[in-house]
Amino acid sequence: MTDHQPVRAADRTERIKGAALEVAREAGFAKLSIEAVAARAGVSKHTVYRRWPSRGLLFLDAVLSLNTAGLGHPDTGDIVADLRTVMTTATDLLGRPPWGPLYQDLIGEAQHDPEVAAALNQRFIAPQTADTLARLKRAMDQGQLAPDFDLDLAMEILSGPLYFRLLITQQPLTHAYIDRVLHAVFAGMSPRSQYDGRP
Amino acid sequence: MTDHQPVRAADRTERIKGAALEVAREAGFAKLSIEAVAARAGVSKHTVYRRWPSRGLLFLDAVLSLNTAGLGHPDTGDIVADLRTVMTTATDLLGRPPWGPLYQDLIGEAQHDPEVAAALNQRFIAPQTADTLARLKRAMDQGQLAPDFDLDLAMEILSGPLYFRLLITQQPLTHAYIDRVLHAVFAGMSPRSQYDGRP
DNA sequence: TGGGAAACAGCACGGGCCGTGTCGTGCTGT
DNA sequence: ACAGCACGACACGGCCCGTGCTGTTTCCCA
């Protein structure tokens, strides 16, 4: 009541994002048109276009407003346990229904639209990877990891196979699989070959 | 002349696929409409629809007709060298311009269209991963890898980070990076932590 | 407390592409 | 010569795009 300026504007913004999620869940991102979202939200098309320049960026906002909090890295002192916590949380949220398919669609859209790709990187991927790297760095400082451990590569080996399963082979992301990846990175693949390690 | 039945049909099929590649390269997959492809190919829309049910599957055929040969796994007796060969060949073809962006678009479309995802898996991903696994298995039989080496996980750790860079962070795929991944899998990440390897 | 600015809903428009239908033509094989 | 089929050309209703326009509601500030 006494709240003023952006109260109705913010309300409409939320209603539009909510309507976008509803439409996407019911009919898929392919059917997510500005017209459909506006109708669902009980809003004029202008009101949508005033806020987002394309359906891709609207969809990005809608998906990222889900629960991207709760994906921060804890620090219990055990790097592997902490990574397992954040990896299971993230995959449970973004790798399964109901939001998994939408996150999949979002990454798919990023492959077609450079603006979506840039915004997704800047607003979600980069902070998340930076957070992982910071946590790994802390573990190294605490002596849990060797000084020459390749932190960047470790982060990419922890993330890559999960995205590979989500996007390419479309297999389910189980906790057991996360444990296998963690084991590979922090206990080694034990190849025991004659490979001397030279590139 | 004396060749008959499918000669004109096959000619048109090739012209349509070629036109699809041209349009996609010039204007991006987003602008790839059946009408535009038909016009570019000098062909009626019916002729396109008679062959492909959607632009996604047409695009899949067009991209996969590029050079998917030449991606078979050699066997020189050195598993790491052979993997490096096929990985560099694959990323040079599908991870760089001019075909990299199109392969990216294709995977993006697979996130929206289950038929494209299934066809891409069946016709490219699955054969490719099966080939990699067969080569790894041969190396294990020859004693280059320990009997308990996790072949499936190794394949996914070799592929995952490359797709992560291609699709998520959109960094370039260099040969040096491939070497880092190979080194990690076949020489270990050397964490030297107190982690005991239990999941 | 009034008045001007801004945001809004509703409607309409031209345009692009969809997927399908129809018609007439040229090529294919018998 | 003839029947069949793939084809090119054109037209169609429909969906959604992005953008105008009008009149109304809401907000801010004087």
Side-chain angles (χ1 to χ4, degrees):
Chain A
M1 293 284 189
T2 53
D3 243 329
H4 305 315
Q5 225 155 6
V7 63
R8 287 169 39 83
D11 170 68
R12 275 178 173 74
T13 300
E14 289 310 309
R15 270 177 44 201
I16 294 169
K17 287 198 284 187
L21 286 179
E22 284 180 30
V23 172
R25 278 224 286 170
E26 293 172 12
F29 174 75
K31 297 278 185 184
L32 186 137
S33 64
I34 301 286
E35 292 211 354
V37 172
R40 174 68 63 105
V43 144
S44 161
K45 281 200 290 179
H46 273 298
T47 308
V48 180
Y49 280 111
R50 196 173 293 117
R51 288 166 169 76
W52 292 277
S54 69
R55 70 172 195 155
L57 291 174
L58 162 59
F59 187 57
L60 175 82
D61 260 0
V63 171
L64 290 193
S65 70
L66 281 182
N67 195 10
T68 56
L71 295 185
H73 286 67
D75 189 347
T76 68
D78 181 342
I79 178 62
V80 177
D82 289 353
L83 285 172
R84 179 157 46 224
T85 298
V86 70
M87 288 169 75
T88 54
T89 304
T91 56
D92 286 351
L93 177 66
L94 296 176
R96 303 169 182 281
W99 309 125
L102 298 193
Y103 187 54
Q104 233 177 297
D105 272 328
L106 176 58
I107 297 175
E109 186 62 11
Q111 308 310 314
H112 301 140
D113 186 337
E115 292 193 26
V116 173
L120 176 60
N121 254 298
Q122 181 178 338
R123 292 178 45 191
F124 184 69
I125 302 294
Q128 205 63 25
T129 58
D131 207 16
T132 300
L133 281 175
R135 181 65 188 86
L136 284 167
K137 182 69 167 56
R138 224 175 301 130
M140 177 181 285
D141 293 342
Q142 291 167 359
Q144 292 190 30
L145 298 173
D148 64 334
F149 187 71
D150 191 336
L151 300 182
D152 295 85
L153 185 61
M155 188 275 295
E156 286 168 309
I157 290 182
L158 292 173
S159 304
L162 296 178
Y163 279 100
F164 182 74
R165 285 205 164 196
L166 177 70
L167 305 174
I168 308 296
T169 65
Q170 316 225 4
Q171 300 169 81
L173 302 176
T174 65
H175 293 191
Y177 184 66
I178 292 174
D179 285 334
R180 283 170 71 199
V181 176
L182 280 167
H183 183 272
V185 171
F186 290 101
M189 292 285 291
S190 313
R192 290 181 200 157
S193 74
Q194 59 264 47
Y195 179 60
D196 64 358
R198 256 189 316 104
Chain B
M1 292 285 186
T2 52
D3 244 328
H4 307 314
Q5 228 155 5
V7 64
R8 286 165 43 82
D11 171 66
R12 273 175 176 77
T13 300
E14 289 310 309
R15 270 177 44 201
I16 294 169
K17 288 199 284 187
L21 286 180
E22 284 181 31
V23 172
R25 278 223 287 172
E26 293 172 12
F29 174 74
K31 298 279 184 183
L32 186 136
S33 64
I34 301 286
E35 294 211 353
V37 172
R40 173 69 63 105
V43 145
S44 162
K45 281 201 289 179
H46 271 299
T47 307
V48 179
Y49 280 111
R50 198 173 292 119
R51 288 165 170 74
W52 292 277
S54 68
R55 69 170 194 156
L57 290 174
L58 161 59
F59 187 56
L60 174 82
D61 260 0
V63 172
L64 290 193
S65 69
L66 281 182
N67 195 8
T68 55
L71 296 185
H73 287 66
D75 189 346
T76 67
D78 182 342
I79 178 63
V80 177
D82 289 352
L83 285 173
R84 180 158 45 225
T85 298
V86 69
M87 287 169 75
T88 55
T89 303
T91 57
D92 285 352
L93 177 65
L94 296 176
R96 303 170 182 278
W99 308 125
L102 298 192
Y103 187 54
Q104 234 179 297
D105 272 328
L106 176 59
I107 297 176
E109 185 62 11
Q111 308 309 315
H112 301 139
D113 185 338
E115 292 193 25
V116 173
L120 176 61
N121 254 297
Q122 182 179 336
R123 292 178 45 191
F124 183 68
I125 302 296
Q128 205 63 25
T129 58
D131 207 15
T132 301
L133 281 175
R135 182 65 188 86
L136 283 167
K137 182 68 166 57
R138 224 174 301 132
M140 177 182 285
D141 292 343
Q142 291 167 359
Q144 291 190 31
L145 299 173
D148 65 332
F149 188 72
D150 192 336
L151 300 182
D152 296 87
L153 186 61
M155 187 275 294
E156 285 168 309
I157 291 183
L158 292 173
S159 304
L162 296 178
Y163 279 101
F164 183 75
R165 285 204 165 196
L166 177 69
L167 304 174
I168 309 297
T169 65
Q170 316 224 2
Q171 299 169 81
L173 302 177
T174 64
H175 292 191
Y177 184 66
I178 292 174
D179 285 333
R180 283 170 71 199
V181 176
L182 280 168
H183 183 273
V185 171
F186 292 100
M189 293 284 292
S190 314
R192 290 182 201 157
S193 75
Q194 59 266 49
Y195 179 59
D196 64 359
R198 256 191 315 104

